[in-house]
Amino acid sequence: MGLDIIRRLEEYRADEKRLAWSGTFADYFELVRQDPRIARLAHARIFDMIVDAGVTSEGSEQRRHEFFSDELFGIDPALDQIVEYFHSAAQRLEVRKRILLLMGPVGGGKSTIVAMLKRGLERYTRADGGAVYAIAGCPMHEEPLHLIPHELRGDVEKEYGIYIEGELCPRCRYRLEHDYDGRAEAVRVERIVFSEKARRGIGTFTPSDPKSQDISEIVGGIDLSTIGEVGTESDPRGYRFDGELNIANRGIMEFIEMLKVDERFLYVLLTLSQEQNIKTGRFSLIYADEVVVSHTNEHEYQSFVGNKKSEALQDRIILVKVPYNLQVSKEVRIYEKLLKQSNLQNVHIAPHALHTAAMFAVLSRLEPSKKAGMSLMKKLKLYDGESVDGFTPKDVRDLRDEAVREGMDGISPRYVINRLSSALVKEDVTCINAIDALRSLRGGLGQHTSIGRDQHERLLNLIGEARRDYDEIAKREVQRAFVYAFDESAKTLLDNYLDNVEAFCNKTKIKDPITEEELEPDENLMRSIEEQIGIVENGKRAFREEILIRISSLARRGQTFDYTSHERLKEAIEKKLFADLRDVVKITTSSKTPDADQLRRINDVVDRLIQDQGYCSVCANELLRYVGSLLSR
Ligand SMILES: Nc1ncnc2c1ncn2[C@@H]1O[C@H](COP(=O)(O)OP(=O)(O)OP(=O)(O)O)[C@@H](O)[C@H]1O
Ligand SMILES: [Mg+2]
Ligand SMILES: [Zn+2]
Ligand SMILES: [Zn+2]
């Protein structure tokens, strides 16, 4: 361990050294000449960052961007649109001049998308492929190529294929003249790494009270510490270029709830997006190259669109809808991710608990279909790639087309996690199962102020739906554990049955294997199996003879009869075994004390659940009790 940390520290220092490149503009120009990608604009850098992480697409399936795939699940169409925006913007198409606005329901992942882009840039600018260089000392860490006068840019582009856009900021213009005597080639350039904390390349603006919020927060303001010395506001030394828009230059600017801010702010954003300029104090426009991304909810967006005054800005927005995920299996992954990040790792989550909660959440987001025979639950299963009687995966497209607003409403992953947490923090809880989860989800609905009465009613019904689905799963789960030794039990039961059938048909007796006593064929045993498939008293002889004939015809071909050899008999044997199970499980819920044999079987089932099916002893016993109560209804 000790050694490891020393090695890591050394690596870290080596990395810092590698990142600490500094040189003159002449040195920098040489770097760019060799690799013009270094001087990419902001959108192109982000696009490369996403693409470098990898893109997969199988056949006609939805493209998947690895960049997002560890943290965001089930919203690929939205992510694809976002990547498309960066793709066009990277080619310097007109969309570059638009603000990216993510619209979606609460807790649907909008902030997560933006956070991933920001964290991604912090990493990417440390990597070789994402290196960024800036004029040393520039408050906006601007592109050093701005030092090349316009007159020469045409030639540079022709000769080296290097595209240059933008003007020196007032501070750099001043310093070029006063500190460098106009010698652009001597200007210091350094490599920079984006960092939100250090306010480099990544900015965030959170609206507060619109009346008191100062525009200098985004565009900078007079520097009270130097204004006295330099005397005039129009001297760049007397101004702080440290607004969020300034510091986000070259990178990304997140405008939280853009549509809530005061119009003055929107106007600045409009100029930035349209002309790539920040209007700052006494200075003329200051060039900035950054991605502006914001988020909003549907309601706010609708009122924004309805407002005539906002028309100009509406034109400058690229809207991407970010609806909730609609696939149960993906929803489970969201919960797993969130639980891993929480402090609840020590609590056991029973199998199917997350799945059941996810079913409820996804159901709440679905819109009813007009297709005949299509229930919400069937839709949920089709969406998750399961096969559903009477429908094909092709129907999924129709269903999606039919419900354009689907996913814009419903229960958020955040709500589900909060409810699971509140169920988990109760004292003495060491495990939470599907029923606990549903109970807690239901309990929270009352406290949820935004849920109206109809809505409440609807959600309660959906909890019922999820529960019915879980009931089936629970029964199957217990059966699975019970019939672990299924083949063994089936074989024993079959042999027993066949011995009796043979004796019955041949009018002979059976020898008890232990006492060697001669016994009449066990009519009770045979009937208990035959009744499972509805063979009546009158039909029993024909059925038994049919079985014997099958045995001998197989024997002639050198084959042996096993319990799968006869379809109906197989069904009868399985049903009989399950009926026995029912009795055993029932005993666990009744006050009756199980006999030794039953107790052994119950313990076997519990062990099986624990060893193979992911249960702990709490939820395994709970499951048996629950299934027992279901079966005795
Ligand atoms: N599709 C998803 N995949 C993975 N995680 C998700 C998904 N949707 C939501 N989450 C998780 O749920 C939580 C809430 O999401 P986030 O804060 O990004 O939503 P938001 O859309 O910004 O919500 P709000 O409108 O309330 O600001 C986050 O932890 C996020 O990671
Ligand atoms: Mg958010
Ligand atoms: Zn500058
Ligand atoms: Zn458990």
Side-chain angles (χ1 to χ4, degrees):
M1 278 306 273
L3 262 179
D4 198 35
I5 185 69
I6 304 288
R7 187 173 58 79
R8 296 293 295 275
L9 283 169
E10 280 168 0
E11 278 170 10
Y12 181 81
R13 264 201 308 282
D15 208 35
E16 293 296 300
K17 212 176 272 170
R18 175 176 66 79
L19 294 172
W21 185 96
S22 118
T24 61
F25 176 65
D27 300 331
Y28 174 68
F29 190 79
E30 183 53 28
L31 290 181
V32 178
R33 207 179 53 76
Q34 284 167 18
D35 180 9
R37 271 180 26 131
I38 290 174
R40 269 163 309 190
L41 297 176
H43 289 85
R45 183 170 286 103
I46 293 184
F47 178 66
D48 285 350
M49 164 179 87
I50 296 172
V51 170
D52 284 359
V55 184
T56 48
S57 73
E58 289 130 28
S60 60
E61 255 184 57
Q62 178 68 49
R63 274 198 293 185
R64 204 183 73 169
H65 298 279
E66 297 299 331
F67 180 81
F68 296 106
S69 67
D70 283 346
E71 277 194 53
L72 287 166
F73 311 111
I75 55 169
D76 294 298
L79 297 175
D80 210 26
Q81 276 179 51
I82 292 169
V83 178
E84 240 350 278
Y85 161 82
F86 283 111
H87 189 189
S88 315
Q91 296 163 307
R92 298 200 301 273
L93 297 174
E94 187 60 20
V95 291
R96 176 168 67 119
K97 306 203 169 165
R98 309 233 183 114
I99 294 166
L100 183 61
L101 181 62
L102 310 179
M103 174 182 79
V106 289
K110 303 180 296 295
S111 298
T112 306
I113 293 172
V114 182
M116 288 189 83
L117 292 173
K118 290 172 159 183
R119 298 295 85 78
L121 271 179
E122 289 176 339
R123 263 179 284 121
Y124 194 55
T125 54
R126 292 185 82 93
D128 291 339
V132 181
Y133 297 82
I135 296 179
C138 171
M140 292 174 61
H141 27 265
E142 70 180 300
E143 169 61 64
L145 291 175
H146 292 171
L147 288 160
I148 296 180
H150 276 270
E151 290 71 13
L152 302 182
R153 291 185 183 181
D155 289 345
V156 171
E157 178 154 19
K158 223 182 292 157
E159 177 95 13
Y160 304 111
I162 298 169
Y163 170 81
I164 306 173
E165 180 185 283
E167 319 298 327
L168 280 181
C169 78
R171 186 74 67 76
C172 289
R173 205 177 312 132
Y174 181 92
R175 291 186 54 218
L176 176 61
E177 211 174 295
H178 294 84
D179 300 353
Y180 293 103
D181 265 342
R183 294 180 58 243
E185 65 277 20
V187 171
R188 297 303 300 176
V189 171
E190 59 191 12
R191 179 163 175 189
I192 58 165
V193 168
F194 288 174
S195 154
E196 179 154 31
K197 244 196 253 142
R199 307 190 75 224
R200 217 183 295 115
I202 297 172
T204 306
F205 178 78
T206 318
S208 55
D209 175 17
K211 296 280 171 313
S212 65
Q213 195 150 36
D214 196 64
I215 196 93
S216 69
E217 284 180 42
I218 60 170
V219 300
I222 293 173
D223 189 341
L224 295 173
S225 66
T226 55
I227 187 76
E229 269 166 61
V230 300
T232 154
E233 269 178 49
S234 56
D235 188 312
R237 291 170 303 170
Y239 197 90
R240 295 187 341 253
F241 298 91
D242 66 352
E244 291 298 325
L245 288 177
N246 302 106
I247 60 114
N249 186 34
R250 318 281 305 275
I252 191 167
M253 166 76 190
E254 177 182 19
F255 225 94
I256 293 172
E257 314 214 52
M258 183 177 92
L259 304 182
K260 278 203 181 124
V261 301
D262 196 66
E263 268 172 53
R264 292 169 299 148
F265 290 80
L266 292 185
Y267 178 73
V268 173
L269 273 192
L270 188 61
T271 318
L272 174 66
S273 66
Q274 221 157 16
E275 298 154 24
Q276 297 191 281
N277 282 314
I278 305 172
K279 177 79 186 94
T280 296
R282 290 294 171 90
F283 306 100
S284 53
L285 300 164
I286 297 172
Y287 171 85
D289 162 39
E290 61 201 72
V291 173
V292 179
V293 47
S294 185
H295 25 88
T296 185
N297 62 44
E298 198 176 26
H299 179 75
E300 256 165 29
Y301 182 73
Q302 293 308 345
S303 65
F304 168 73
V305 170
N307 180 354
K308 268 256 176 283
K309 276 200 282 188
S310 69
E311 265 171 14
L313 195 60
Q314 285 172 38
D315 267 3
R316 310 247 52 110
I317 282 175
I318 290 278
L319 183 73
V320 173
K321 280 198 205 173
V322 185
Y324 288 133
N325 155 57
L326 299 177
Q327 284 180 275
V328 172
S329 55
K330 302 272 169 74
E331 189 73 9
V332 169
R333 293 191 65 190
I334 299 177
Y335 303 161
E336 284 169 348
K337 177 191 82 168
L338 293 173
L339 287 172
K340 215 182 286 162
Q341 293 164 359
S342 75
N343 53 354
L344 301 167
Q345 288 116 328
N346 298 329
V347 190
H348 184 241
I349 308 276
H352 308 291
L354 297 185
H355 177 262
T356 306
M359 264 195 297
F360 164 62
V362 171
L363 282 173
S364 77
R365 302 167 188 169
L366 296 180
E367 286 176 21
S369 164
K370 290 190 192 67
K371 263 184 201 286
M374 177 61 70
S375 68
L376 227 44
M377 190 52 102
K378 283 184 183 165
K379 192 173 185 179
L380 170 142
K381 298 201 164 167
L382 274 175
Y383 276 8
D384 207 25
E386 286 182 45
S387 57
V388 172
D389 268 355
F391 297 97
T392 68
K394 265 198 257 132
D395 290 309
V396 172
R397 180 152 335 134
D398 293 350
L399 288 170
R400 297 259 187 200
D401 289 348
E402 184 186 51
V404 284
R405 262 203 80 249
E406 198 160 66
M408 297 299 281
D409 268 327
I411 293 291
S412 76
R414 202 189 275 138
Y415 174 80
V416 173
I417 291 301
N418 288 345
R419 294 311 302 169
L420 288 181
S421 308
S422 79
L424 288 168
V425 295
K426 286 206 195 101
E427 230 175 301
D428 294 339
V429 170
T430 57
C431 168
I432 185 168
N433 62 34
I435 296 298
D436 299 329
L438 289 181
R439 197 178 296 126
S440 184
L441 286 166
R442 190 186 59 206
L445 295 179
Q447 303 158 18
H448 214 297
T449 46
S450 65
I451 297 176
R453 186 179 291 212
D454 310 352
Q455 196 62 347
H456 198 152
E457 196 57 41
R458 188 178 83 93
L459 292 173
L460 286 181
N461 282 332
L462 296 179
I463 286 181
E465 291 260 340
R467 179 182 176 164
R468 276 189 288 283
D469 201 272
Y470 170 70
D471 288 352
E472 290 311 309
I473 293 175
K475 283 190 237 167
R476 250 180 285 141
E477 192 85 335
V478 173
Q479 273 175 8
R480 220 175 101 200
F482 180 80
V483 300
Y484 164 69
F486 189 88
D487 279 343
E488 196 68 17
S489 324
K491 191 173 174 303
T492 314
L493 190 58
L494 176 76
D495 287 348
N496 220 335
Y497 177 73
L498 292 181
D499 287 347
N500 281 285
V501 164
E502 208 173 6
F504 170 83
C505 293
N506 299 337
K507 301 204 169 59
T508 56
K509 303 223 167 174
I510 302 197
K511 203 183 269 171
D512 185 290
I514 299 165
T515 60
E516 305 223 324
E517 204 182 333
E518 301 260 300
L519 300 167
E520 288 297 324
D522 185 344
E523 196 56 35
N524 280 342
L525 173 88
M526 289 186 285
R527 290 304 292 147
S528 74
I529 291 171
E530 290 155 2
E531 276 163 3
Q532 301 293 335
I533 49 170
I535 289 167
V536 293
E537 188 64 30
N538 279 339
K540 72 181 185 189
R541 175 171 294 275
F543 182 74
R544 292 172 189 175
E545 281 167 353
E546 181 190 323
I547 298 288
L548 278 191
I549 291 168
R550 178 70 60 86
I551 293 177
S552 63
S553 81
L554 279 175
R556 251 183 283 122
R557 278 178 274 146
Q559 291 166 352
T560 46
F561 187 96
D562 69 18
Y563 94 95
T564 61
S565 301
H566 189 283
E567 223 9 82
R568 294 194 65 213
L569 183 57
K570 170 169 180 271
E571 188 188 336
I573 296 236
E574 284 178 351
K575 283 197 166 151
K576 169 74 173 116
L577 286 173
F578 291 149
D580 291 351
L581 155 74
R582 187 175 297 231
D583 294 339
V584 171
V585 173
K586 266 186 197 163
I587 285 173
T588 64
T589 51
S590 71
S591 51
K592 255 193 279 168
T593 332
D595 62 37
D597 181 50
Q598 285 166 329
L599 199 60
R600 186 184 53 75
R601 291 169 89 175
I602 291 169
N603 287 336
D604 275 355
V605 171
V606 169
D607 284 350
R608 202 40 57 199
L609 285 169
I610 294 174
Q611 279 165 30
D612 291 353
Q613 284 162 244
Y615 288 78
C616 72
S617 66
V618 176
C619 53
N621 283 295
E622 195 60 45
L623 177 75
L624 274 185
R625 238 193 314 278
Y626 183 68
V627 171
S629 74
L630 287 178
L631 293 179
S632 50
R633 269 187 201 156

